[in-house]
Amino acid sequence: MALEVLKSAIPDYAKDLRRNLDSVIGESPLPQQRLWGTVLACAIASRSPLVLREAAREAAAALSPEAFTAAKSAAATMAMTNVFHRTRHLLSDPEYRNLRAGLRTNVLGHPGVDRMDHEFWSLAVSAVNGCGDCLDSHERALRKAGVNRETIQEAFKIAAVIQAVAVTLDAEAVLGAPLGA
C-alpha cells in the first residue's frame, strides 16, 4: 500500500498524522470515488512530489481513468480560480467583484464524473488553497444537492491531513539533507 510509504516516512514528532491518515482515508465513510478523488486532488494541491507520487498510486488503483482525470482537472481548475477569487476577495476595492472574470472553467459544467464528486474535490482543494469564496460556493452547491455537513467536513479533514503530511515530509526532506546541498 502506497500510503504505508507515507506513514512510515512521518517522523515521531508528527505521529498523530499517521493515525489521522488511517482515520480520514482508511476509515472514511465516503464512497471510493469521492474519497480517492479527494485524496488525489489534495495531493496535487499540496505540491509535494512524494505525497503526490504515493497518493496517485493508490488513487489510480481505486479510480476509473475518467475519475482520475477529473480529480486532476479539479485540482488544476482550483489552482487558477482559488487564486483569482481569493485575490478579488482580499482586495479592498469592491469594484473588482463587478468585473468579468474572463477565465475558462468549462470543466466545472462537464467534469466527466458525477458533478457532486467534482464539487467535493473542488471544495477540498479550495481548503488547501485557502479560498473562502470558493469554499462557500462549493459548500452551497453540495448542500443544495443534499450533502450533509458531516460528509462535507470529510473533504476538509482529508485536505488538512494531506497538506500536513506534505508539509512535514517536505520539511524533513530539506532538513535531513546536508547543509549546503
Side-chain angles (χ1 to χ4, degrees):
M1 176 183 247
L3 289 179
E4 292 302 322
V5 171
L6 294 178
K7 289 192 314 189
S8 69
I10 294 170
D12 283 341
Y13 70 79
K15 64 186 171 189
D16 286 340
L17 295 178
R18 288 187 212 122
R19 177 64 186 119
N20 288 330
L21 269 177
D22 281 336
S23 174
V24 301
I25 296 172
E27 300 168 18
S28 175
L30 299 174
Q32 289 297 290
Q33 179 167 295
R34 190 163 286 179
L35 169 65
W36 286 103
T38 305
V39 171
L40 177 60
C42 289
I44 292 168
S46 80
R47 299 182 181 110
S48 169
L50 173 61
V51 170
L52 176 55
R53 183 178 58 246
E54 298 306 325
R57 287 181 187 162
E58 292 275 336
L63 296 170
S64 69
E66 296 80 13
F68 193 90
T69 298
K72 293 191 304 181
S73 77
T77 303
M78 292 306 105
M80 175 183 65
T81 59
N82 291 161
V83 169
F84 180 81
H85 291 292
R86 184 178 63 238
T87 301
R88 283 196 341 178
H89 172 77
L90 291 172
L91 285 169
S92 59
D93 184 347
E95 289 303 312
Y96 285 100
R97 288 183 173 255
N98 298 325
L99 298 176
R100 183 178 171 279
L103 300 174
R104 291 191 176 272
T105 56
N106 293 335
V107 72
L108 298 178
H110 306 285
V113 293
D114 178 83
R115 187 145 187 244
M116 289 305 105
D117 284 346
H118 202 268
E119 288 283 352
F120 199 85
W121 304 336
S122 296
L123 176 105
V125 172
S126 296
V128 172
N129 292 334
C131 181
D133 284 351
C134 296
L135 283 164
D136 285 341
S137 175
H138 297 296
E139 190 267 349
R140 273 193 307 273
L142 289 162
R143 295 285 294 142
K144 184 176 179 182
V147 180
N148 66 42
R149 286 179 180 88
E150 291 78 12
T151 300
I152 291 170
Q153 183 171 277
E154 292 297 315
F156 51 95
K157 284 170 56 179
I158 293 167
V161 173
I162 294 295
Q163 181 65 13
V165 169
V167 167
T168 302
L169 295 182
D170 286 356
E172 285 300 306
V174 171
L175 295 173
L179 290 177

